[in-house]
Amino acid sequence: MPGDSLNINNKATAQNTYDAIVIGSGISGGWAAKELCEHGLKTLVLERGRNVEHIKDYPTANLAPWELRHRGRITEKIHNENPLISKAAGYGEDDLHFFVKDKDHPYIQEKPFDWIRGYQVGGKSLTWGRCTQRWSDFEFTGPKRFGYGWDWPIRYADVAPWYSHVEKFIGICGNKDGLEAMPDGEFLPPFELNCVEQHLKESFLKNYGNRYLVHARWAHLTEPNQIHLDQNRGKCQARNLCMRGCPFGGYFSSNSSTLPWAAKTGNLTVRPHSVVHSIIYDEKKNVATGVRVIDSETKQTTEYFAKIVFLNASALNSNLVLLNSTSDRFPNGLGNDSGILGKYVCFHNYRGWMTGKIDGFEDKYTFGRNPTDAIIANYRNLHKQDTDFLGGYTTYMGAFRERGDGDRCPEQIGSVYKEAMTEPGPWHVYAYLQGETIPKATNHVRLSADQKDQWGIPLLVTSVGYDDNDEKLLKDFFIQTGEMLTKAGVKDIEHWDSKQAPGLDIHEMGGCRMGDDPKTSVLNKWNQLHSCKNVFVTDGACMTSTGNQSPSILYMTLTARAVNHAVEELKKGNAN
Ligand SMILES: Cc1cc2nc3c(=O)[nH]c(=O)nc-3n(C[C@H](O)[C@H](O)[C@H](O)COP(=O)(O)OP(=O)(O)OC[C@H]3O[C@@H](n4cnc5c(N)ncnc54)[C@H](O)[C@@H]3O)c2cc1C
């Protein structure tokens, strides 16, 4: 053809070829990059958002409240323009640059679903809550033992060493409590319980025997080890400004930890502004050969190639990428032989909240700040089903002393208010729920048949809702927690159902679940697509059930385990 020879870059394929491609640079993608690079694989990380460099790109990290134009609050304009994302926990004037804008990234809510996203290098690892309990075997075996959902292809013993591997590197503070429902890990010293939390802990144990309020496990460096110092991270200063990005690297984020570590190997290339459109499948070789990327700025399409692909775009976006990766062999999405891709999407039930006051500790005060909450390990449906609902729940709990007695000065102005502020006020207790939800086929995501985003990619349709089990679990949380607090002497107890839509828990999971049987699952026990083994999905999309623990450390753990497997397979010449 005339002109062919003019513009063709014959070396393009070679220039765009790596050993491994990672889609997404958030919590799980950062881990994939670190492990792959450490194993010596030339790794390309494709990230749809802008670059965020540790420290340099944390513009508000050191601002005092009076240096923020609206003291940290968002304006009505921002709220009106972003009615959805502004609901996210902690969203404010000081950190909104780490969240998407509603108008830029539409999706279709067939049922209400608040999809919270942070599109930048580091993803949501910059703004996450940092709570990191291990799963126990109760969670891995629950669906099989009690007949809900499908059986996990792995057990706690399969992941325990990988949890240790991750914990040692990222730094988790916590106490070794010896609880069977919340296994111990490799912990740095915990933040201390205050006197009221200690009292609650003792009261629960005395009254119930098996309800343990303990230090939650949290990704903060309370006493950094050499491996953390080697990452140029320092001790957590308990500034409680984490969501702005921490210049000390006091909490774990991809930006402060895994990505710079991967870069040090010389094997990492990060390409921001790269929206992955789909994974390229070679029908003859029966493998994925690379990915199709649209530059978010220029809208130009480029293809990148590799022996293995790690999909870590966060659960729902990973579903979207797979559903959009169609070919003659996979007309309904890559790896979707079972027809269940996009189905069994699940989340955590965060609707329950409680508060109260407690007398008797007026001679005591707290010292310093604490960026963590205490936690009551799940005590429901462990060895047997002892309730009228399925699954369990974690209860976060804490106590704090109000500054000033609000009851003395309801108007919050004038000399009475000023004087009241010089005195410590009453002790308050709070609790909130993180409940397991039951995966079901009707809770699903799919691609819109006719609506596309600004890059020409079909919009995601979310069709996810609560069910009767969620209502029963919520009711039980209110009854049990209310009773426990009452027995501990807490008064003026109030409880409320936030009635928040699924998604606002920001623990999106499922759609591409793991399992032994390719007819009822999409991924095998190593997080490989059953029918396209050189594609690994190791973010929340892989979750077979939700358990009741915060999920992100399990994604990191499964990622490290999957990379290890991928590298072993590559050595044997099997993966591609
Ligand atoms: C306020 C808040 C509190 C939270 N608290 C906790 C907690 O205490 N404990 C816990 O376990 N979890 C918590 N989470 C959830 C946690 O942040 C997520 O589970 C975790 O970040 C998921 O990791 P990921 O790698 O799957 O996704 P992310 O960290 O979101 O990273 C995904 C990345 O992929 C990129 N991407 C998406 N689509 C594409 C595409 N097509 N092409 C290229 N790149 C793409 C995104 O831009 C993003 O950078 C919290 C989240 C928030 C926001």
Side-chain angles (χ1 to χ4, degrees), residues 515-529:
D516 279 329
D517 184 354
K519 290 198 193 73
T520 56
S521 59
V522 182
L523 303 170
N524 69 11
K525 66 176 175 179
W526 300 110
N527 295 75
Q528 295 168 287
L529 289 179

Side-chain angles (χ1 to χ4, degrees), residues 12-30:
T13 305
Q15 280 167 354
N16 288 355
T17 298
Y18 295 79
D19 294 324
I21 289 174
V22 178
I23 304 172
S25 64
I27 283 189
S28 60

Side-chain angles (χ1 to χ4, degrees), residues 98-267:
F98 293 145
F99 292 88
V100 298
K101 291 192 173 71
D102 284 358
K103 73 171 167 31
D104 293 342
H105 302 287
Y107 62 100
I108 299 163
Q109 299 177 56
E110 198 163 73
K111 296 178 188 165
F113 185 89
D114 292 332
W115 190 15
I116 304 302
R117 289 156 293 164
Y119 289 167
Q120 61 259 327
V121 167
K124 297 195 292 285
S125 77
L126 285 160
T127 52
W128 72 313
R130 312 162 309 280
C131 187
T132 45
Q133 279 74 239
R134 287 185 180 203
W135 272 43
S136 70
D137 253 339
F138 290 120
E139 279 111 325
F140 282 112
T141 60
K144 181 167 187 212
R145 283 186 299 131
F146 302 130
Y148 63 95
W150 265 257
D151 192 18
W152 279 82
I154 51 173
R155 293 290 183 258
Y156 177 66
D158 295 305
V159 289
W162 294 102
Y163 267 125
S164 294
H165 178 72
V166 169
E167 286 164 343
K168 282 184 201 157
F169 188 80
I170 70 176
I172 303 292
C173 63
N175 191 51
K176 294 204 183 225
D177 298 297
L179 308 180
E180 55 176 351
M182 213 166 75
D184 292 332
E186 314 285 337
F187 297 146
L188 306 172
F191 284 89
E192 288 305 317
L193 299 182
N194 65 38
C195 58
V196 171
E197 290 162 352
Q198 189 61 36
H199 160 76
L200 295 171
K201 175 187 175 119
E202 286 159 19
S203 167
F204 299 159
L205 263 183
K206 190 177 87 196
N207 288 309
Y208 296 90
N210 65 347
R211 298 193 183 180
Y212 304 96
L213 178 71
V214 298
H215 312 263
R217 289 84 199 252
W218 230 269
H220 285 256
L221 299 182
T222 46
E223 272 180 24
N225 288 328
Q226 191 57 46
I227 185 69
H228 309 122
L229 300 175
D230 291 346
Q231 296 168 43
N232 291 325
R233 296 172 58 203
K235 184 176 163 115
C236 169
Q237 307 292 306
R239 300 182 334 139
N240 291 15
L241 302 175
C242 313
M243 289 176 75
R244 299 176 181 186
C246 180
F248 301 93
Y251 75 93
F252 167 80
S253 67
S254 306
N255 312 62
S256 65
S257 175
T258 41
L259 291 174
W261 191 265
K264 272 206 298 195
T265 63
N267 292 325

Side-chain angles (χ1 to χ4, degrees), residues 23-29 46-49 89 99 116 118-120 122-125 127-131 243 274-276 312-315 317 321 506-507 539-540 550-553 555:
I23 304 172
S25 64
I27 283 189
S28 60
L46 294 164
E47 166 55 53
R48 68 180 300 152
F99 292 88
I116 304 302
Y119 289 167
Q120 61 259 327
K124 297 195 292 285
S125 77
T127 52
W128 72 313
R130 312 162 309 280
C131 187
M243 289 176 75
S274 302
V275 184
V276 171
N312 298 94
S314 201
N317 267 318
V321 169
I506 328 184
H507 290 176
D539 59 17
S550 306
S552 305
I553 192 165
Y555 310 160

Side-chain angles (χ1 to χ4, degrees), residues 43-58:
T43 302
L44 173 67
V45 174
L46 294 164
E47 166 55 53
R48 68 180 300 152
R50 69 191 165 97
N51 193 23
V52 172
E53 199 178 310
H54 180 49
I55 303 178
K56 178 172 130 336
D57 293 323
Y58 304 156

Side-chain angles (χ1 to χ4, degrees), residues 84 291 454:
L84 194 150
V291 299
Q454 53 180 304

